[in-house]
Amino acid sequence: MGTYSQSVVARGTITPEEAKRLGECIVAWLVDEEIIEHRLTECCLVDSGYPPGRHYRRACGGIDDHAREEDHAELLRSSPHGVELHTKRYCFFNSQGDFGPARCLHCAAERDFDAYYEASNEWMKGGIGELHCGHCGRTSIVTAWEHDDLLWSTLGLVFWGWPELSPAFLDELSRRIDCRVSIIFGKL
């Protein structure tokens, strides 16, 4: 038993202005597809979010029409069940993660968690937050580094209690924002 989440995190450098614009585009697309409703409610764990639309399963590989209404009603009875949109500097994480080393985007060499976290703190405070890779010699902003349980970005979505998002949905989201995305599965 537990509360599950999936965080879809935009990777790379996204300015706050771009994040706000892209966030509005994502919401418009999800509302048009009836994946979410166009209203904010207390349907997420901490922050308000968008409740699932009647066709929310379009993001999860679909469902037969005859089962759709019952399935939608069942999700609405669970708590939390919404989608949070984050368009400011934010930490997306799996609360049960082991928080091991981060990996360089360019060569996949590992860097210890303390250095990754230190650069992340600088970035969260409005700084650049760069991290140097001792293997390939490149320096990248912390939002470009890979980690299985902890990512930093100015744009991301947290899906609370939803079935696993489909690869096709994630590909379409990535295409629409013209940015690669990573996913973190979480459990509280």
Side-chain angles (χ1 to χ4, degrees), residues 28 31 40 43-44 52 54 67-68 70 72 79 81-86 102 108 117 133 143 147 170 172 174 182:
V31 168
L40 291 171
C43 59
C44 294
R54 61 190 204 107
R68 185 183 65 235
E70 183 178 320
H72 184 247
S79 182
H81 60 256
V83 179
E84 292 175 14
L85 171 66
H86 295 277
Y117 193 73
C133 177
T143 58
H147 196 283
L170 296 171
E172 179 63 15
S174 178
S182 294

Side-chain angles (χ1 to χ4, degrees), residues 69-97:
E69 286 184 30
E70 183 178 320
D71 180 74
H72 184 247
E74 184 177 326
L75 179 61
L76 292 176
R77 284 191 294 273
S78 67
S79 182
H81 60 256
V83 179
E84 292 175 14
L85 171 66
H86 295 277
T87 58
K88 295 181 180 175
R89 292 178 186 221
Y90 192 78
C91 174
F92 298 89
F93 65 97
N94 172 5
S95 62
Q96 294 188 342

Side-chain angles (χ1 to χ4, degrees), residues 119-182:
S120 301
N121 277 336
E122 179 188 331
W123 181 80
M124 281 297 290
K125 293 176 183 174
I128 296 173
E130 291 182 324
L131 192 58
H132 180 76
C133 177
H135 185 261
C136 71
R138 295 172 102 170
T139 299
S140 302
I141 188 169
V142 73
T143 58
W145 282 69
E146 295 293 337
H147 196 283
D148 295 333
D149 296 307
L150 183 73
L151 295 173
W152 309 86
S153 183
T154 53
L155 179 61
L157 300 156
V158 181
F159 292 79
W160 289 99
W162 286 41
E164 189 171 338
L165 300 169
S166 73
F169 173 77
L170 296 171
D171 289 346
E172 179 63 15
L173 177 61
S174 178
R175 187 191 69 73
R176 285 176 177 270
I177 64 173
D178 193 27
C179 181
R180 74 184 175 90
V181 298
S182 294

Side-chain angles (χ1 to χ4, degrees), residues 24-118:
E24 290 169 356
C25 292
I26 291 168
V27 167
W29 168 55
L30 296 177
V31 168
D32 285 347
E33 292 292 319
E34 297 183 76
I35 293 171
I36 61 172
E37 293 182 14
H38 196 249
R39 61 189 177 97
L40 291 171
T41 68
E42 301 302 315
C43 59
C44 294
L45 193 60
V46 177
D47 297 319
S48 60
Y50 297 92
R54 61 190 204 107
H55 290 290
Y56 82 95
R57 284 278 190 153
R58 288 178 175 165
C60 310
I63 191 170
D64 293 339
D65 280 343
H66 71 279
R68 185 183 65 235
E69 286 184 30
E70 183 178 320
D71 180 74
H72 184 247
E74 184 177 326
L75 179 61
L76 292 176
R77 284 191 294 273
S78 67
S79 182
H81 60 256
V83 179
E84 292 175 14
L85 171 66
H86 295 277
T87 58
K88 295 181 180 175
R89 292 178 186 221
Y90 192 78
C91 174
F92 298 89
F93 65 97
N94 172 5
S95 62
Q96 294 188 342
D98 65 6
F99 303 113
R103 294 175 307 282
C104 175
L105 170 68
H106 306 289
C107 71
E110 293 183 342
R111 184 73 197 265
D112 67 281
F113 182 76
D114 291 339
Y116 178 65
Y117 193 73
E118 185 178 317

